[in-house]
Amino acid sequence: MEGLSERQYAARIGLSRGAVQKAKATGRLVLHSDGSIDAEGSDALRAQATDPSKTRKAPKPKLKPVPEAAVAAVHETLRGEERFRISETGGASGASGATNGMSDPPVGGGTTFLQAKTANEVLKAQERRLRLQKLKGELIDRARALSLVFRLARQERDVWVNWPARAAALMAADLGVEPAKMQKVLEKHVRAQLDDLAEVKPDLR
């Protein structure tokens, strides 16, 4: 055998045997009369075929804008991260109208892939921070917090509802009025106060 086999030449140039067979079938290799591969001749032919000056450059990929529906969510996430950072450091943000070094897109325009990717990284950082705070006992379950607030509110309401019956006799003696009348007046005003308090809703945002 005068030259190299397909396997030997593939190992020489760092390609698969299939790639060498394809190059051989398309006439991009120099062969000896016995069908073996002329390594030096083939190397030269391949180098010429892959000459940068003769190689057609692939067009640069175009960055497709993210749909406008994602713009609000992306920038709300970034603004939320900036507000969280300010609240932690007690400082003020940098240039107005920009968040994390990214300016808001013009009205009617889409946000870029880079902006969307940055927002995604911000979200992941927020999730990691929340998990850490939960492990440290700094966060509690929202549903459990609401349940505790409402249970406390019911307990306070029951105390106030029962208060006129306990306090009426003592207050009536101090004021020299009938206990039954005093209790009725107290119940009236206590219930009015409880009705006002019922309009207060906890804000756990």
Side-chain angles (χ1 to χ4, degrees):
M1 183 180 240
E2 296 183 14
L4 301 180
S5 66
E6 294 173 351
R7 189 180 304 277
Q8 290 172 330
Y9 189 67
R12 172 190 174 95
I13 62 175
L15 294 177
S16 66
R17 185 179 179 185
V20 171
Q21 290 175 337
K22 184 176 180 180
K24 185 177 180 180
T26 55
R28 289 183 286 122
L29 297 179
V30 178
L31 305 179
H32 291 294
S33 57
D34 63 354
S36 61
I37 301 173
D38 181 342
E40 294 183 359
S42 296
D43 289 347
L45 185 60
R46 290 180 61 255
Q48 183 180 3
T50 57
D51 186 344
S53 63
K54 299 180 181 180
T55 302
R56 184 179 179 182
K57 295 182 179 180
K60 293 182 179 180
K62 294 182 180 180
L63 292 178
K64 295 183 179 180
V66 177
E68 292 185 12
V71 174
V74 168
H75 287 276
E76 180 59 31
T77 298
L78 296 177
R79 283 192 292 269
E81 171 67 11
E82 184 70 8
R83 288 194 296 268
F84 188 90
R85 185 183 63 79
I86 292 172
S87 66
E88 282 190 325
T89 60
S93 63
S96 60
T99 309
N100 292 341
M102 295 166 54
S103 59
D104 289 337
V107 177
T111 190
T112 65
F113 173 77
L114 177 59
Q115 289 174 315
K117 182 178 180 181
T118 301
N120 183 58
E121 293 301 319
V122 169
L123 282 174
K124 290 194 291 186
Q126 289 177 334
E127 290 175 353
R128 288 193 294 268
R129 183 184 294 115
L130 289 174
R131 285 197 296 269
L132 178 59
Q133 290 176 326
K134 189 173 182 179
L135 289 173
K136 293 168 65 177
E138 298 174 357
L139 296 179
I140 62 173
D141 181 77
R142 179 185 178 88
R144 182 170 181 269
L146 285 171
S147 176
L148 292 174
V149 168
F150 284 119
R151 186 171 70 182
L152 177 61
R154 284 196 300 269
Q155 291 173 344
E156 291 181 347
R157 179 199 61 193
D158 293 342
V159 169
W160 277 107
V161 167
N162 295 324
W163 177 75
R166 298 197 310 271
L170 297 176
M171 296 179 68
D174 290 340
L175 297 175
V177 298
E178 296 179 7
K181 186 174 182 180
M182 176 61 68
Q183 181 174 343
K184 186 175 181 180
V185 172
L186 290 177
E187 288 177 347
K188 174 183 176 181
H189 289 288
V190 166
R191 290 190 180 279
Q193 178 68 8
L194 291 177
D195 288 341
D196 290 339
L197 292 176
E199 298 299 323
V200 179
K201 305 297 182 182
D203 185 1
L204 299 181
R205 292 178 295 178

